[in-house]
Amino acid sequence: MQQYGSLIPVHVDDISFQRSSGSAVAKTFRVNYKRHVLTMDDLGTLYGQNWLNDQVGLHCAPLEVHFFNSFFYDKLRTKGYEGVKRWTKNVDIFQKDLLLIPIHLEVHWSLVSVDIPRRTITYFDSQRTLNRRCPKHISKYLQAEAVKKDQRDFLTGWKGFFKMTPPVEMSSADLANVSCLLPQYCKCLALGQPFNFGQQDMPRLRRQMYKELCHCKLIL
């Protein structure tokens, strides 16, 4: 309870947890990682088939990977580069290997992966929406950022691709699981691993994410 704010067996292969928000420990439980703070309300979104919130959605990235939060693309789409130019004031994205950008439009989640060395922008989507404007927005952002950061080698040569992630059904429970699949896609891309999971794995992956967040470390 002191370590996790909830009840979690130690064995990695059989992680489980129960909400206990009424306890004094749960109410005061916090996970602090750099400038981020997770509460039991945040961690509780991993319970059952809840929708994950933005605090939980992306976590514990390797140093060579940069995650944007789910508000980034919406701000870029509506305000242009001027609306997001300060988001990387302390980060040189062109020194990273990979950028991961979650796309949240109404109830649909998708993901953009930017391979900096290869200059590729890949749009991952499970529902064939083919949001062709999205890679174009990201490409324009990268070019504007290259000018601002005086990285003119990255002004040209960008290529865009669309890839299907494993499709999901569209029940209300499945929609909630899409929000949980997204961090798993991010994790696999960040670690260079294949997408070897599906919806049937969601209960186990939710519990694993809970433990990863509490330890601020990915379970490989």
Side-chain angles (χ1 to χ4, degrees):
M1 287 288 289
Q2 292 290 343
Q3 187 172 10
Y4 299 108
S6 188
L7 304 176
I8 304 182
V10 174
H11 198 275
V12 174
D13 294 331
D14 188 25
I15 304 168
S16 64
F17 69 93
Q18 301 174 5
R19 288 186 298 178
S20 53
S21 57
S23 74
V25 172
K27 289 180 179 178
T28 59
F29 185 77
R30 297 287 187 276
V31 177
N32 296 286
Y33 180 69
K34 297 181 179 178
R35 293 182 299 170
H36 302 283
V37 178
L38 292 175
T39 67
M40 279 304 298
D41 287 338
D42 298 319
L43 294 169
T45 63
L46 286 162
Y47 180 79
Q49 293 180 332
N50 292 329
W51 287 78
L52 272 62
N53 69 9
D54 188 63
Q55 288 290 97
V56 168
L58 300 172
H59 57 288
C60 307
L63 292 177
E64 64 273 12
V65 178
H66 183 72
F67 284 108
F68 291 87
N69 71 34
S70 61
F71 299 106
F72 172 80
Y73 177 71
D74 188 59
K75 183 71 71 173
L76 175 65
R77 179 176 60 89
T78 56
K79 302 293 185 181
Y81 182 72
E82 288 298 312
V84 297
K85 65 180 182 181
R86 293 180 58 82
W87 287 51
T88 54
K89 65 179 181 179
N90 297 320
V91 178
D92 184 353
I93 60 174
F94 301 107
Q95 297 299 314
K96 302 292 184 178
D97 291 332
L98 188 68
L99 311 180
L100 295 173
I101 307 169
I103 311 298
H104 185 206
L105 300 176
E106 297 180 354
V107 296
H108 181 55
W109 286 90
S110 51
L111 176 68
V112 169
S113 169
V114 180
D115 187 317
I116 295 294
R118 292 183 175 85
R119 290 175 171 76
T120 59
I121 304 167
T122 306
Y123 185 91
F124 293 93
D125 194 347
S126 65
Q127 297 176 19
R128 301 179 187 272
T129 58
L130 293 181
N131 181 2
R132 297 190 183 279
R133 291 177 296 177
C134 180
K136 292 180 180 178
H137 287 313
I138 301 302
S139 178
K140 289 181 179 179
Y141 165 78
L142 292 167
Q143 291 170 336
E145 185 78 353
V147 171
K148 182 181 178 182
K149 295 290 178 66
D150 195 24
Q151 295 278 1
R152 295 187 178 272
D153 288 346
F154 292 95
L155 283 174
T156 58
W158 293 100
K159 297 179 181 180
F161 301 92
F162 287 91
K163 289 189 178 181
M164 283 288 294
T165 52
V168 295
E169 301 298 328
M170 291 300 292
S171 70
S172 59
D174 291 325
L175 282 171
N177 278 337
V178 171
S179 70
C180 190
L181 284 167
L182 178 71
Q184 299 305 316
Y185 293 136
C186 290
K187 178 179 176 179
C188 289
L189 288 168
L191 298 177
Q193 298 175 347
F195 298 156
N196 56 358
F197 56 86
Q199 282 181 277
Q200 71 278 5
D201 299 307
M202 284 303 99
R204 174 183 61 83
L205 291 175
R206 283 175 176 265
R207 295 190 293 269
Q208 180 174 295
M209 286 174 62
Y210 192 105
K211 186 167 185 178
E212 288 177 331
L213 288 166
C214 288
H215 284 270
C216 301
K217 183 179 180 180
L218 295 176
I219 296 173
L220 305 180

mmCIF file of all heavy atoms in Angstrom, residues 121-166:
data_model
loop_
_atom_site.group_PDB
_atom_site.id
_atom_site.type_symbol
_atom_site.label_atom_id
_atom_site.label_comp_id
_atom_site.label_asym_id
_atom_site.label_seq_id
_atom_site.Cartn_x
_atom_site.Cartn_y
_atom_site.Cartn_z
ATOM 1 N N ILE A 121 7.878 10.321 -41.367
ATOM 2 C CA ILE A 121 6.706 10.610 -40.536
ATOM 3 C C ILE A 121 5.695 9.504 -40.799
ATOM 4 O O ILE A 121 5.185 9.377 -41.911
ATOM 5 C CB ILE A 121 6.098 11.980 -40.883
ATOM 6 C CG1 ILE A 121 7.154 13.086 -40.752
ATOM 7 C CG2 ILE A 121 4.884 12.275 -40.007
ATOM 8 C CD1 ILE A 121 6.719 14.404 -41.362
ATOM 9 N N THR A 122 5.415 8.689 -39.779
ATOM 10 C CA THR A 122 4.520 7.546 -39.955
ATOM 11 C C THR A 122 3.270 7.741 -39.108
ATOM 12 O O THR A 122 3.369 7.989 -37.904
ATOM 13 C CB THR A 122 5.205 6.229 -39.559
ATOM 14 O OG1 THR A 122 6.438 6.111 -40.279
ATOM 15 C CG2 THR A 122 4.319 5.049 -39.898
ATOM 16 N N TYR A 123 2.130 7.621 -39.756
ATOM 17 C CA TYR A 123 0.837 7.789 -39.085
ATOM 18 C C TYR A 123 0.241 6.404 -38.845
ATOM 19 O O TYR A 123 -0.068 5.677 -39.786
ATOM 20 C CB TYR A 123 -0.085 8.631 -39.959
ATOM 21 C CG TYR A 123 -1.409 8.980 -39.329
ATOM 22 C CD1 TYR A 123 -1.558 10.155 -38.590
ATOM 23 C CD2 TYR A 123 -2.526 8.161 -39.481
ATOM 24 C CE1 TYR A 123 -2.774 10.493 -38.018
ATOM 25 C CE2 TYR A 123 -3.742 8.495 -38.906
ATOM 26 C CZ TYR A 123 -3.860 9.649 -38.179
ATOM 27 O OH TYR A 123 -5.067 9.977 -37.604
ATOM 28 N N PHE A 124 0.113 6.022 -37.571
ATOM 29 C CA PHE A 124 -0.456 4.726 -37.204
ATOM 30 C C PHE A 124 -1.927 4.894 -36.833
ATOM 31 O O PHE A 124 -2.268 5.735 -35.994
ATOM 32 C CB PHE A 124 0.298 4.129 -36.010
ATOM 33 C CG PHE A 124 1.713 3.750 -36.306
ATOM 34 C CD1 PHE A 124 2.757 4.635 -36.072
ATOM 35 C CD2 PHE A 124 2.011 2.495 -36.826
ATOM 36 C CE1 PHE A 124 4.071 4.280 -36.341
ATOM 37 C CE2 PHE A 124 3.323 2.127 -37.094
ATOM 38 C CZ PHE A 124 4.344 3.024 -36.857
ATOM 39 N N ASP A 125 -2.776 4.076 -37.456
ATOM 40 C CA ASP A 125 -4.212 4.204 -37.216
ATOM 41 C C ASP A 125 -4.855 2.827 -37.304
ATOM 42 O O ASP A 125 -4.507 2.032 -38.178
ATOM 43 C CB ASP A 125 -4.835 5.139 -38.269
ATOM 44 C CG ASP A 125 -6.226 5.601 -37.907
ATOM 45 O OD1 ASP A 125 -6.816 5.024 -36.982
ATOM 46 O OD2 ASP A 125 -6.721 6.540 -38.551
ATOM 47 N N SER A 126 -5.776 2.537 -36.408
ATOM 48 C CA SER A 126 -6.446 1.236 -36.400
ATOM 49 C C SER A 126 -7.772 1.251 -37.144
ATOM 50 O O SER A 126 -8.386 0.204 -37.333
ATOM 51 C CB SER A 126 -6.692 0.783 -34.958
ATOM 52 O OG SER A 126 -7.595 1.666 -34.318
ATOM 53 N N GLN A 127 -8.229 2.425 -37.588
ATOM 54 C CA GLN A 127 -9.582 2.529 -38.150
ATOM 55 C C GLN A 127 -9.620 3.068 -39.571
ATOM 56 O O GLN A 127 -10.659 3.487 -40.061
ATOM 57 C CB GLN A 127 -10.457 3.396 -37.239
ATOM 58 C CG GLN A 127 -10.640 2.798 -35.864
ATOM 59 C CD GLN A 127 -11.426 3.710 -34.940
ATOM 60 O OE1 GLN A 127 -12.125 4.603 -35.400
ATOM 61 N NE2 GLN A 127 -11.310 3.491 -33.651
ATOM 62 N N ARG A 128 -8.482 3.119 -40.249
ATOM 63 C CA ARG A 128 -8.419 3.517 -41.651
ATOM 64 C C ARG A 128 -8.981 4.918 -41.900
ATOM 65 O O ARG A 128 -9.563 5.195 -42.952
ATOM 66 C CB ARG A 128 -9.190 2.516 -42.536
ATOM 67 C CG ARG A 128 -8.683 1.089 -42.447
ATOM 68 C CD ARG A 128 -9.516 0.161 -43.319
ATOM 69 N NE ARG A 128 -9.147 -1.220 -43.106
ATOM 70 C CZ ARG A 128 -8.182 -1.851 -43.769
ATOM 71 N NH1 ARG A 128 -7.489 -1.205 -44.685
ATOM 72 N NH2 ARG A 128 -7.904 -3.117 -43.520
ATOM 73 N N THR A 129 -8.814 5.819 -40.936
ATOM 74 C CA THR A 129 -9.348 7.165 -41.147
ATOM 75 C C THR A 129 -8.515 7.960 -42.147
ATOM 76 O O THR A 129 -9.013 8.881 -42.772
ATOM 77 C CB THR A 129 -9.396 7.945 -39.818
ATOM 78 O OG1 THR A 129 -8.076 8.010 -39.262
ATOM 79 C CG2 THR A 129 -10.328 7.286 -38.833
ATOM 80 N N LEU A 130 -7.249 7.588 -42.310
ATOM 81 C CA LEU A 130 -6.353 8.234 -43.273
ATOM 82 C C LEU A 130 -6.440 9.756 -43.163
ATOM 83 O O LEU A 130 -6.806 10.458 -44.109
ATOM 84 C CB LEU A 130 -6.676 7.782 -44.703
ATOM 85 C CG LEU A 130 -6.394 6.303 -45.003
ATOM 86 C CD1 LEU A 130 -6.719 5.992 -46.449
ATOM 87 C CD2 LEU A 130 -4.943 5.952 -44.702
ATOM 88 N N ASN A 131 -6.119 10.250 -41.999
ATOM 89 C CA ASN A 131 -6.121 11.688 -41.755
ATOM 90 C C ASN A 131 -4.892 12.306 -42.432
ATOM 91 O O ASN A 131 -3.858 12.528 -41.819
ATOM 92 C CB ASN A 131 -6.091 11.935 -40.238
ATOM 93 C CG ASN A 131 -6.113 13.402 -39.888
ATOM 94 O OD1 ASN A 131 -6.196 14.269 -40.765
ATOM 95 N ND2 ASN A 131 -6.037 13.691 -38.613
ATOM 96 N N ARG A 132 -5.026 12.543 -43.734
ATOM 97 C CA ARG A 132 -3.867 12.961 -44.529
ATOM 98 C C ARG A 132 -3.345 14.331 -44.130
ATOM 99 O O ARG A 132 -2.203 14.672 -44.415
ATOM 100 C CB ARG A 132 -4.227 12.927 -46.014
ATOM 101 C CG ARG A 132 -4.576 11.525 -46.497
ATOM 102 C CD ARG A 132 -4.691 11.456 -48.002
ATOM 103 N NE ARG A 132 -5.095 10.122 -48.429
ATOM 104 C CZ ARG A 132 -4.258 9.092 -48.544
ATOM 105 N NH1 ARG A 132 -2.984 9.257 -48.255
ATOM 106 N NH2 ARG A 132 -4.696 7.912 -48.932
ATOM 107 N N ARG A 133 -4.160 15.143 -43.506
ATOM 108 C CA ARG A 133 -3.695 16.465 -43.085
ATOM 109 C C ARG A 133 -2.699 16.370 -41.936
ATOM 110 O O ARG A 133 -1.849 17.248 -41.773
ATOM 111 C CB ARG A 133 -4.880 17.335 -42.680
ATOM 112 C CG ARG A 133 -5.782 17.748 -43.841
ATOM 113 C CD ARG A 133 -6.966 18.530 -43.337
ATOM 114 N NE ARG A 133 -7.819 17.711 -42.474
ATOM 115 C CZ ARG A 133 -8.903 18.160 -41.847
ATOM 116 N NH1 ARG A 133 -9.247 19.435 -41.959
ATOM 117 N NH2 ARG A 133 -9.615 17.347 -41.084
ATOM 118 N N CYS A 134 -2.811 15.308 -41.135
ATOM 119 C CA CYS A 134 -1.971 15.200 -39.938
ATOM 120 C C CYS A 134 -0.485 15.140 -40.276
ATOM 121 O O CYS A 134 0.295 15.945 -39.748
ATOM 122 C CB CYS A 134 -2.405 13.994 -39.114
ATOM 123 S SG CYS A 134 -1.443 13.772 -37.616
ATOM 124 N N PRO A 135 -0.018 14.232 -41.133
ATOM 125 C CA PRO A 135 1.418 14.234 -41.460
ATOM 126 C C PRO A 135 1.871 15.552 -42.076
ATOM 127 O O PRO A 135 3.025 15.964 -41.872
ATOM 128 C CB PRO A 135 1.548 13.067 -42.457
ATOM 129 C CG PRO A 135 0.406 12.171 -42.141
ATOM 130 C CD PRO A 135 -0.710 13.088 -41.765
ATOM 131 N N LYS A 136 0.990 16.217 -42.821
ATOM 132 C CA LYS A 136 1.361 17.507 -43.408
ATOM 133 C C LYS A 136 1.566 18.555 -42.321
ATOM 134 O O LYS A 136 2.495 19.357 -42.383
ATOM 135 C CB LYS A 136 0.281 17.960 -44.391
ATOM 136 C CG LYS A 136 0.197 17.089 -45.641
ATOM 137 C CD LYS A 136 -0.897 17.576 -46.589
ATOM 138 C CE LYS A 136 -0.963 16.701 -47.836
ATOM 139 N NZ LYS A 136 -2.039 17.122 -48.756
ATOM 140 N N HIS A 137 0.685 18.555 -41.302
ATOM 141 C CA HIS A 137 0.852 19.471 -40.172
ATOM 142 C C HIS A 137 2.186 19.212 -39.467
ATOM 143 O O HIS A 137 2.908 20.156 -39.117
ATOM 144 C CB HIS A 137 -0.290 19.306 -39.166
ATOM 145 C CG HIS A 137 -1.596 19.871 -39.627
ATOM 146 N ND1 HIS A 137 -1.718 21.120 -40.187
ATOM 147 C CD2 HIS A 137 -2.861 19.362 -39.584
ATOM 148 C CE1 HIS A 137 -2.987 21.359 -40.478
ATOM 149 N NE2 HIS A 137 -3.696 20.302 -40.124
ATOM 150 N N ILE A 138 2.501 17.928 -39.253
ATOM 151 C CA ILE A 138 3.733 17.572 -38.561
ATOM 152 C C ILE A 138 4.952 17.959 -39.402
ATOM 153 O O ILE A 138 5.956 18.470 -38.877
ATOM 154 C CB ILE A 138 3.768 16.068 -38.237
ATOM 155 C CG1 ILE A 138 2.572 15.677 -37.348
ATOM 156 C CG2 ILE A 138 5.084 15.703 -37.559
ATOM 157 C CD1 ILE A 138 2.492 16.412 -36.042
ATOM 158 N N SER A 139 4.878 17.747 -40.722
ATOM 159 C CA SER A 139 5.985 18.113 -41.599
ATOM 160 C C SER A 139 6.258 19.618 -41.554
ATOM 161 O O SER A 139 7.416 20.052 -41.461
ATOM 162 C CB SER A 139 5.678 17.674 -43.028
ATOM 163 O OG SER A 139 6.715 18.062 -43.907
ATOM 164 N N LYS A 140 5.191 20.418 -41.599
ATOM 165 C CA LYS A 140 5.363 21.874 -41.529
ATOM 166 C C LYS A 140 5.938 22.283 -40.172
ATOM 167 O O LYS A 140 6.755 23.209 -40.089
ATOM 168 C CB LYS A 140 4.028 22.560 -41.774
ATOM 169 C CG LYS A 140 3.545 22.461 -43.213
ATOM 170 C CD LYS A 140 2.218 23.184 -43.403
ATOM 171 C CE LYS A 140 1.750 23.104 -44.849
ATOM 172 N NZ LYS A 140 0.444 23.780 -45.037
ATOM 173 N N TYR A 141 5.491 21.604 -39.116
ATOM 174 C CA TYR A 141 6.040 21.886 -37.788
ATOM 175 C C TYR A 141 7.538 21.610 -37.750
ATOM 176 O O TYR A 141 8.321 22.424 -37.237
ATOM 177 C CB TYR A 141 5.328 21.049 -36.721
ATOM 178 C CG TYR A 141 6.067 21.024 -35.405
ATOM 179 C CD1 TYR A 141 6.006 22.108 -34.534
ATOM 180 C CD2 TYR A 141 6.871 19.934 -35.049
ATOM 181 C CE1 TYR A 141 6.716 22.103 -33.341
ATOM 182 C CE2 TYR A 141 7.571 19.924 -33.861
ATOM 183 C CZ TYR A 141 7.493 21.009 -33.011
ATOM 184 O OH TYR A 141 8.200 21.015 -31.838
ATOM 185 N N LEU A 142 7.960 20.468 -38.276
ATOM 186 C CA LEU A 142 9.376 20.094 -38.257
ATOM 187 C C LEU A 142 10.221 21.091 -39.043
ATOM 188 O O LEU A 142 11.334 21.440 -38.627
ATOM 189 C CB LEU A 142 9.544 18.689 -38.834
ATOM 190 C CG LEU A 142 8.967 17.547 -37.982
ATOM 191 C CD1 LEU A 142 8.896 16.259 -38.793
ATOM 192 C CD2 LEU A 142 9.780 17.344 -36.716
ATOM 193 N N GLN A 143 9.696 21.567 -40.165
ATOM 194 C CA GLN A 143 10.436 22.537 -40.963
ATOM 195 C C GLN A 143 10.569 23.864 -40.217
ATOM 196 O O GLN A 143 11.641 24.479 -40.209
ATOM 197 C CB GLN A 143 9.743 22.725 -42.307
ATOM 198 C CG GLN A 143 9.843 21.502 -43.202
ATOM 199 C CD GLN A 143 8.952 21.586 -44.422
ATOM 200 O OE1 GLN A 143 7.954 22.301 -44.434
ATOM 201 N NE2 GLN A 143 9.312 20.861 -45.471
ATOM 202 N N ALA A 144 9.477 24.303 -39.585
ATOM 203 C CA ALA A 144 9.530 25.550 -38.818
ATOM 204 C C ALA A 144 10.460 25.419 -37.620
ATOM 205 O O ALA A 144 11.211 26.348 -37.291
ATOM 206 C CB ALA A 144 8.117 25.937 -38.363
ATOM 207 N N GLU A 145 10.449 24.272 -36.985
ATOM 208 C CA GLU A 145 11.327 24.030 -35.835
ATOM 209 C C GLU A 145 12.792 23.991 -36.278
ATOM 210 O O GLU A 145 13.684 24.461 -35.564
ATOM 211 C CB GLU A 145 10.932 22.715 -35.157
ATOM 212 C CG GLU A 145 11.684 22.404 -33.879
ATOM 213 C CD GLU A 145 11.202 23.174 -32.657
ATOM 214 O OE1 GLU A 145 10.342 24.073 -32.818
ATOM 215 O OE2 GLU A 145 11.675 22.880 -31.553
ATOM 216 N N ALA A 146 13.031 23.440 -37.472
ATOM 217 C CA ALA A 146 14.393 23.385 -37.997
ATOM 218 C C ALA A 146 14.951 24.782 -38.239
ATOM 219 O O ALA A 146 16.129 25.055 -37.986
ATOM 220 C CB ALA A 146 14.432 22.566 -39.285
ATOM 221 N N VAL A 147 14.097 25.677 -38.712
ATOM 222 C CA VAL A 147 14.519 27.062 -38.921
ATOM 223 C C VAL A 147 14.829 27.723 -37.582
ATOM 224 O O VAL A 147 15.878 28.368 -37.412
ATOM 225 C CB VAL A 147 13.436 27.854 -39.672
ATOM 226 C CG1 VAL A 147 13.782 29.349 -39.698
ATOM 227 C CG2 VAL A 147 13.279 27.328 -41.088
ATOM 228 N N LYS A 148 13.932 27.538 -36.607
ATOM 229 C CA LYS A 148 14.114 28.174 -35.308
ATOM 230 C C LYS A 148 15.361 27.664 -34.594
ATOM 231 O O LYS A 148 16.088 28.438 -33.957
ATOM 232 C CB LYS A 148 12.880 27.935 -34.428
ATOM 233 C CG LYS A 148 12.971 28.619 -33.074
ATOM 234 C CD LYS A 148 11.752 28.347 -32.223
ATOM 235 C CE LYS A 148 11.897 29.015 -30.854
ATOM 236 N NZ LYS A 148 10.748 28.724 -29.968
ATOM 237 N N LYS A 149 15.626 26.360 -34.694
ATOM 238 C CA LYS A 149 16.760 25.759 -33.989
ATOM 239 C C LYS A 149 18.033 25.753 -34.847
ATOM 240 O O LYS A 149 19.032 25.146 -34.464
ATOM 241 C CB LYS A 149 16.413 24.330 -33.566
ATOM 242 C CG LYS A 149 15.273 24.244 -32.543
ATOM 243 C CD LYS A 149 15.695 24.764 -31.181
ATOM 244 C CE LYS A 149 14.546 24.737 -30.176
ATOM 245 N NZ LYS A 149 14.090 23.389 -29.832
ATOM 246 N N ASP A 150 17.966 26.429 -36.003
ATOM 247 C CA ASP A 150 19.117 26.515 -36.916
ATOM 248 C C ASP A 150 19.624 25.126 -37.279
ATOM 249 O O ASP A 150 20.815 24.832 -37.206
ATOM 250 C CB ASP A 150 20.238 27.348 -36.289
ATOM 251 C CG ASP A 150 21.289 27.782 -37.317
ATOM 252 O OD1 ASP A 150 20.937 27.846 -38.512
ATOM 253 O OD2 ASP A 150 22.441 28.029 -36.921
ATOM 254 N N GLN A 151 18.698 24.267 -37.647
ATOM 255 C CA GLN A 151 19.016 22.901 -38.078
ATOM 256 C C GLN A 151 18.550 22.741 -39.530
ATOM 257 O O GLN A 151 17.661 21.949 -39.846
ATOM 258 C CB GLN A 151 18.310 21.881 -37.170
ATOM 259 C CG GLN A 151 18.774 21.891 -35.743
ATOM 260 C CD GLN A 151 20.048 21.075 -35.568
ATOM 261 O OE1 GLN A 151 20.602 20.517 -36.515
ATOM 262 N NE2 GLN A 151 20.539 21.003 -34.340
ATOM 263 N N ARG A 152 19.147 23.484 -40.409
ATOM 264 C CA ARG A 152 18.653 23.576 -41.788
ATOM 265 C C ARG A 152 18.837 22.286 -42.582
ATOM 266 O O ARG A 152 18.238 22.126 -43.650
ATOM 267 C CB ARG A 152 19.306 24.764 -42.494
ATOM 268 C CG ARG A 152 18.895 26.088 -41.852
ATOM 269 C CD ARG A 152 19.385 27.307 -42.612
ATOM 270 N NE ARG A 152 18.893 28.515 -41.945
ATOM 271 C CZ ARG A 152 17.709 29.087 -42.200
ATOM 272 N NH1 ARG A 152 16.916 28.541 -43.110
ATOM 273 N NH2 ARG A 152 17.342 30.160 -41.555
ATOM 274 N N ASP A 153 19.644 21.367 -42.092
ATOM 275 C CA ASP A 153 19.741 20.067 -42.752
ATOM 276 C C ASP A 153 18.418 19.313 -42.719
ATOM 277 O O ASP A 153 18.204 18.384 -43.508
ATOM 278 C CB ASP A 153 20.822 19.210 -42.076
ATOM 279 C CG ASP A 153 22.231 19.703 -42.385
ATOM 280 O OD1 ASP A 153 22.370 20.513 -43.319
ATOM 281 O OD2 ASP A 153 23.173 19.285 -41.689
ATOM 282 N N PHE A 154 17.537 19.693 -41.787
ATOM 283 C CA PHE A 154 16.262 18.996 -41.630
ATOM 284 C C PHE A 154 15.098 19.732 -42.305
ATOM 285 O O PHE A 154 13.944 19.428 -42.051
ATOM 286 C CB PHE A 154 15.952 18.797 -40.141
ATOM 287 C CG PHE A 154 16.882 17.832 -39.469
ATOM 288 C CD1 PHE A 154 17.996 18.295 -38.783
ATOM 289 C CD2 PHE A 154 16.648 16.466 -39.534
ATOM 290 C CE1 PHE A 154 18.871 17.409 -38.168
ATOM 291 C CE2 PHE A 154 17.524 15.582 -38.919
ATOM 292 C CZ PHE A 154 18.630 16.050 -38.238
ATOM 293 N N LEU A 155 15.400 20.687 -43.163
ATOM 294 C CA LEU A 155 14.342 21.422 -43.854
ATOM 295 C C LEU A 155 13.705 20.609 -44.973
ATOM 296 O O LEU A 155 12.542 20.836 -45.331
ATOM 297 C CB LEU A 155 14.902 22.728 -44.430
ATOM 298 C CG LEU A 155 15.116 23.866 -43.435
ATOM 299 C CD1 LEU A 155 15.817 25.038 -44.116
ATOM 300 C CD2 LEU A 155 13.784 24.328 -42.860
ATOM 301 N N THR A 156 14.415 19.665 -45.531
ATOM 302 C CA THR A 156 13.904 18.904 -46.670
ATOM 303 C C THR A 156 14.129 17.410 -46.437
ATOM 304 O O THR A 156 14.808 16.997 -45.503
ATOM 305 C CB THR A 156 14.629 19.316 -47.967
ATOM 306 O OG1 THR A 156 16.045 19.094 -47.811
ATOM 307 C CG2 THR A 156 14.391 20.787 -48.280
ATOM 308 N N GLY A 157 13.543 16.625 -47.314
ATOM 309 C CA GLY A 157 13.762 15.177 -47.287
ATOM 310 C C GLY A 157 12.772 14.386 -46.475
ATOM 311 O O GLY A 157 12.900 13.160 -46.360
ATOM 312 N N TRP A 158 11.737 15.019 -45.917
ATOM 313 C CA TRP A 158 10.763 14.310 -45.090
ATOM 314 C C TRP A 158 9.798 13.505 -45.957
ATOM 315 O O TRP A 158 9.325 13.974 -46.978
ATOM 316 C CB TRP A 158 9.987 15.299 -44.219
ATOM 317 C CG TRP A 158 10.847 15.958 -43.194
ATOM 318 C CD1 TRP A 158 11.393 17.209 -43.265
ATOM 319 C CD2 TRP A 158 11.279 15.405 -41.959
ATOM 320 N NE1 TRP A 158 12.145 17.468 -42.147
ATOM 321 C CE2 TRP A 158 12.094 16.390 -41.321
ATOM 322 C CE3 TRP A 158 11.065 14.189 -41.312
ATOM 323 C CZ2 TRP A 158 12.683 16.177 -40.081
ATOM 324 C CZ3 TRP A 158 11.659 13.974 -40.071
ATOM 325 C CH2 TRP A 158 12.452 14.961 -39.474
ATOM 326 N N LYS A 159 9.498 12.291 -45.520
ATOM 327 C CA LYS A 159 8.550 11.427 -46.213
ATOM 328 C C LYS A 159 7.482 10.960 -45.236
ATOM 329 O O LYS A 159 7.757 10.736 -44.055
ATOM 330 C CB LYS A 159 9.266 10.210 -46.809
ATOM 331 C CG LYS A 159 10.305 10.565 -47.874
ATOM 332 C CD LYS A 159 10.982 9.318 -48.392
ATOM 333 C CE LYS A 159 12.041 9.669 -49.438
ATOM 334 N NZ LYS A 159 12.730 8.456 -49.955
ATOM 335 N N GLY A 160 6.249 10.828 -45.738
ATOM 336 C CA GLY A 160 5.133 10.409 -44.886
ATOM 337 C C GLY A 160 4.606 9.038 -45.277
ATOM 338 O O GLY A 160 4.590 8.670 -46.451
ATOM 339 N N PHE A 161 4.172 8.266 -44.266
ATOM 340 C CA PHE A 161 3.626 6.929 -44.491
ATOM 341 C C PHE A 161 2.394 6.727 -43.604
ATOM 342 O O PHE A 161 2.289 7.298 -42.518
ATOM 343 C CB PHE A 161 4.655 5.847 -44.155
ATOM 344 C CG PHE A 161 5.925 5.940 -44.948
ATOM 345 C CD1 PHE A 161 7.012 6.655 -44.455
ATOM 346 C CD2 PHE A 161 6.027 5.327 -46.180
ATOM 347 C CE1 PHE A 161 8.189 6.742 -45.182
ATOM 348 C CE2 PHE A 161 7.204 5.409 -46.923
ATOM 349 C CZ PHE A 161 8.281 6.120 -46.419
ATOM 350 N N PHE A 162 1.468 5.895 -44.076
ATOM 351 C CA PHE A 162 0.334 5.468 -43.273
ATOM 352 C C PHE A 162 0.469 3.972 -43.000
ATOM 353 O O PHE A 162 0.745 3.196 -43.910
ATOM 354 C CB PHE A 162 -0.994 5.727 -44.004
ATOM 355 C CG PHE A 162 -1.376 7.171 -44.073
ATOM 356 C CD1 PHE A 162 -0.983 7.950 -45.149
ATOM 357 C CD2 PHE A 162 -2.122 7.755 -43.067
ATOM 358 C CE1 PHE A 162 -1.333 9.281 -45.226
ATOM 359 C CE2 PHE A 162 -2.476 9.086 -43.133
ATOM 360 C CZ PHE A 162 -2.077 9.857 -44.214
ATOM 361 N N LYS A 163 0.266 3.577 -41.746
ATOM 362 C CA LYS A 163 0.323 2.167 -41.388
ATOM 363 C C LYS A 163 -0.863 1.812 -40.504
ATOM 364 O O LYS A 163 -1.254 2.585 -39.626
ATOM 365 C CB LYS A 163 1.631 1.831 -40.659
ATOM 366 C CG LYS A 163 2.865 1.869 -41.552
ATOM 367 C CD LYS A 163 4.084 1.319 -40.834
ATOM 368 C CE LYS A 163 5.306 1.315 -41.747
ATOM 369 N NZ LYS A 163 6.501 0.754 -41.078
ATOM 370 N N MET A 164 -1.412 0.635 -40.759
ATOM 371 C CA MET A 164 -2.508 0.146 -39.931
ATOM 372 C C MET A 164 -1.963 -0.521 -38.681
ATOM 373 O O MET A 164 -1.074 -1.381 -38.768
ATOM 374 C CB MET A 164 -3.341 -0.875 -40.700
ATOM 375 C CG MET A 164 -4.282 -0.270 -41.720
ATOM 376 S SD MET A 164 -5.667 0.550 -40.918
ATOM 377 C CE MET A 164 -6.502 -0.852 -40.180
ATOM 378 N N THR A 165 -2.452 -0.114 -37.524
ATOM 379 C CA THR A 165 -2.228 -0.902 -36.321
ATOM 380 C C THR A 165 -3.333 -1.947 -36.269
ATOM 381 O O THR A 165 -4.320 -1.841 -37.004
ATOM 382 C CB THR A 165 -2.276 -0.017 -35.065
ATOM 383 O OG1 THR A 165 -3.491 0.742 -35.076
ATOM 384 C CG2 THR A 165 -1.089 0.931 -35.047
ATOM 385 N N PRO A 166 -3.215 -3.001 -35.446
ATOM 386 C CA PRO A 166 -4.266 -4.021 -35.405
ATOM 387 C C PRO A 166 -5.634 -3.392 -35.178
ATOM 388 O O PRO A 166 -5.821 -2.596 -34.256
ATOM 389 C CB PRO A 166 -3.852 -4.895 -34.213
ATOM 390 C CG PRO A 166 -2.369 -4.732 -34.151
ATOM 391 C CD PRO A 166 -2.105 -3.312 -34.556
#
